[in-house]
Amino acid sequence: MSRIVIQGGRKLEGELTIQGAKNSVLPILAATILHPGRSVLLGCPRLSDVEASIRILRHLGCQADWEDEALVVDASTLDRWDIPDHLMREMRSSVIFLGAILARMGWAELSHPGGCELGPRPIDLHLTALRQLGADLRDEGGFLRCTAQHMEGREITLSLPSVGATENAMLAACGAEGETVLLNAAREPEIADLQSFLRGMGCQVRGAGSSTICIQGRRPTHDVVHTIMPDRIAAATYLAAAAASGGQVALRRISHRHLSTVTAALHAAGCQITGGEGQLILRSEGRLRSIGTVRTAPYPGFPTDAQAILMAALLRSQGATVFVENIFENRYRHVDELCRMGADISVADRVAVVTGVTELYGAEVRCTDLRGGAALLVAGLAAQGTTGIGDVFHILRGYEDPVRDLRSLGADIRMA
Ligand code: EPZ
């Protein structure tokens, strides 16, 4: 199993163009099957989760191939509506294909996505929304057998602003007669990017980014070319790395607005942050400060995906910072690994208290999940000595080439 080895203690300096967003490209790849033609995705990140989605698209009968830097999907040959267990198990977020398959085929069969490292990942909100559109969904021994020969648009209120349920309902509603109004929809920027892709395809969708999204179903579709938005969590990762290591980095192709809660936290910790059109510059020198309490929340609140990453940046700060993880049940699995490097963190249920130490020490650690693995990268860069990070496949689900990116900023890092 591949490892990443870091010689820590070096400042980071340089410029980086941020990869396309994992959490945007995955729902957009599902959305490509709504149109029996070509979708060209520019700026598509080469991630293992994207490769898993490509395998699903090919299983469904689509063509999906890289053409230079673009990922081209031709869904005109789609002829299946099932996702087999082994493909569902590769990536639990494959449930995002359900709404699109129902919209295109009227049938769908897939195994229950199950939980993941972050705890149980229920899909009750997805299923409730699809049933409200008229889908008949039966859970038969871990398999979802779904029929939706005729879906009717209607007003749907999500009991909580679930990102995946919002996306699944949007895609299913594209196949429903009439208008669907989604209330209490998630407001993440990736949903606005999905809307932009759908509109580019000819679908009639508006309101994404707000809590109310309106979809006019069964619109004629056409070929589309779309550029995937930059990955705000990858950007947060590299900002946190520079904050922890010291130095100055400039990130290109990133919207300051999409990261405002993260940059506010890093600024409070003592970093200087400036930004222009599509660029963010962070400068960090001296010891960071603790920043009180960080509570994760749905967008535009502090993103749960940046919790572990910011925690890693504050391990050597002066004072104590309290984290409250309000989104997932089990999102502190990286804490034990950080403590092996000398961090002082205590966890009680959803609360983690980080007391800054003066030094971190390189150690052999293992990724527990995607963003927990990213936190180990940040800590390893700031630690004295050598850090070996195992199970890096977790990181490669969401980061195209972290070794390439961090080396370009001056880090002493390699894949072993
Ligand atoms: C998306 O997951 C992201 N994944 C996650 O990113 C991200 O952490 C999460 O949104 C929150 O921002 C992708 O976009 C592929 P949710 P999703 O539905 O859609 C509960 C990463 O690291 N819930 O908004 O699964 C759920 O248990 C990943 O890039 C239900 O109870 O998140 C959680 O507590 C990790 N029932 C909360 O809602 C449901 O039917 C938010 O989940 C659905 C969700």
Side-chain angles (χ1 to χ4, degrees):
M1 194 63 68
S2 52
R3 283 171 69 237
I4 287 178
V5 178
I6 299 173
Q7 294 296 339
R10 296 172 65 149
K11 290 185 184 301
L12 299 184
E13 303 282 347
E15 290 194 1
L16 192 60
T17 298
I18 293 300
Q19 68 177 56
K22 167 181 89 77
N23 292 348
S24 174
V25 69
L26 296 182
I28 286 176
L29 283 170
T32 60
I33 68 175
L34 292 174
H35 168 55
R38 275 167 61 92
S39 298
V40 178
L41 304 181
L42 305 176
C44 191
R46 290 177 180 265
L47 307 170
S48 54
D49 273 6
V50 169
E51 293 303 328
S53 298
I54 289 171
R55 284 190 283 277
I56 290 173
L57 288 167
R58 288 174 177 165
H59 170 82
L60 294 171
C62 304
Q63 294 160 67
D65 299 287
W66 292 99
E67 291 180 16
D68 299 328
E69 286 311 299
L71 180 55
V72 180
V73 178
D74 182 337
S76 59
T77 50
L78 183 141
D79 59 2
R80 298 185 66 128
W81 58 76
D82 69 306
I83 301 180
D85 190 54
H86 73 278
L87 290 179
M88 282 301 295
R89 287 181 182 280
E90 274 189 34
M91 183 177 68
R92 62 157 308 282
S93 53
S94 310
V95 69
I96 195 60
F97 277 87
L98 177 55
I101 295 173
L102 285 177
R104 173 79 185 272
M105 302 298 278
W107 310 85
E109 186 174 293
L110 45 88
S111 61
H112 235 281
C116 76
E117 307 84 7
L118 305 182
R121 300 289 292 274
I123 59 170
D124 55 306
L125 302 179
H126 299 238
L127 304 185
T128 301
L130 297 179
R131 286 191 173 106
Q132 288 179 301
L133 288 171
D136 174 52
L137 309 172
R138 295 164 195 253
D139 190 340
E140 295 170 3
F143 259 85
L144 286 171
R145 300 188 201 286
C146 316
T147 309
Q149 292 302 299
H150 180 72
M151 290 194 282
E152 288 274 347
R154 53 164 294 175
E155 187 172 280
I156 294 173
T157 301
L158 295 177
S159 57
L160 60 85
S162 154
V163 172
T166 299
E167 294 165 342
N168 239 333
M170 285 168 73
L171 299 183
C174 288
E177 285 296 340
E179 182 178 58
T180 297
V181 179
L182 269 183
L183 300 174
N184 196 27
R187 297 163 55 188
E188 272 69 3
E190 291 76 22
I191 293 173
D193 204 31
L194 176 61
Q195 172 178 281
S196 167
F197 171 78
L198 290 170
R199 290 163 71 110
M201 184 189 265
C203 299
Q204 207 168 311
V205 187
R206 58 187 166 82
S210 78
S211 298
T212 302
I213 301 175
C214 301
I215 304 102
Q216 192 68 34
R218 306 190 75 75
R219 312 302 296 167
T221 56
H222 49 71
D223 291 1
V224 55
V225 179
H226 179 81
T227 299
I228 302 295
M229 68 174 278
D231 193 313
R232 60 193 171 100
I233 306 300
T237 307
Y238 296 121
L239 292 177
S245 304
Q248 176 169 309
V249 298
L251 302 185
R252 291 191 298 272
R253 221 174 80 86
I254 191 66
S255 157
H256 192 289
R257 190 165 51 84
H258 292 166
L259 266 181
S260 55
T261 52
V262 175
T263 50
L266 292 171
H267 180 260
C271 298
Q272 292 85 44
I273 297 174
T274 53
E277 191 42 48
Q279 175 166 284
L280 264 177
I281 301 170
L282 178 142
R283 176 159 195 72
S284 170
E285 51 190 357
R287 191 176 186 188
L288 296 179
R289 299 186 291 264
S290 56
I291 56 174
T293 299
V294 178
R295 296 176 181 82
T296 65
Y299 192 89
F302 188 90
T304 174
D305 293 347
Q307 174 255 104
I309 294 159
L310 179 65
M311 182 185 286
L314 295 176
L315 295 177
R316 294 191 303 159
S317 62
Q318 197 134 22
T321 298
V322 177
F323 286 83
V324 184
E325 173 54 56
N326 292 311
I327 304 295
F328 289 111
E329 291 179 4
N330 187 20
R331 202 160 201 177
Y332 288 131
R333 298 181 69 223
H334 50 282
V335 165
D336 288 346
E337 298 302 306
L338 293 174
C339 290
R340 290 168 61 87
M341 301 174 71
D344 179 351
I345 310 170
S346 55
V347 173
D349 194 22
R350 287 180 177 264
V351 177
V353 180
V354 178
T355 304
V357 295
T358 52
E359 206 51 83
L360 290 172
Y361 304 95
E364 281 302 314
V365 291
R366 304 181 80 80
C367 300
T368 52
D369 55 80
L370 167 56
R371 306 302 176 184
L376 297 179
L377 288 175
V378 172
L381 292 165
Q384 289 304 323
T386 305
T387 297
I389 302 174
D391 291 345
V392 294
F393 64 89
H394 285 290
I395 299 178
L396 300 180
R397 285 188 44 223
Y399 295 84
E400 191 170 55
D401 191 339
V403 172
R404 171 201 67 196
D405 290 346
L406 289 167
R407 286 174 77 101
S408 75
L409 297 175
D412 181 345
I413 180 173
R414 61 187 170 83
M415 195 67 88

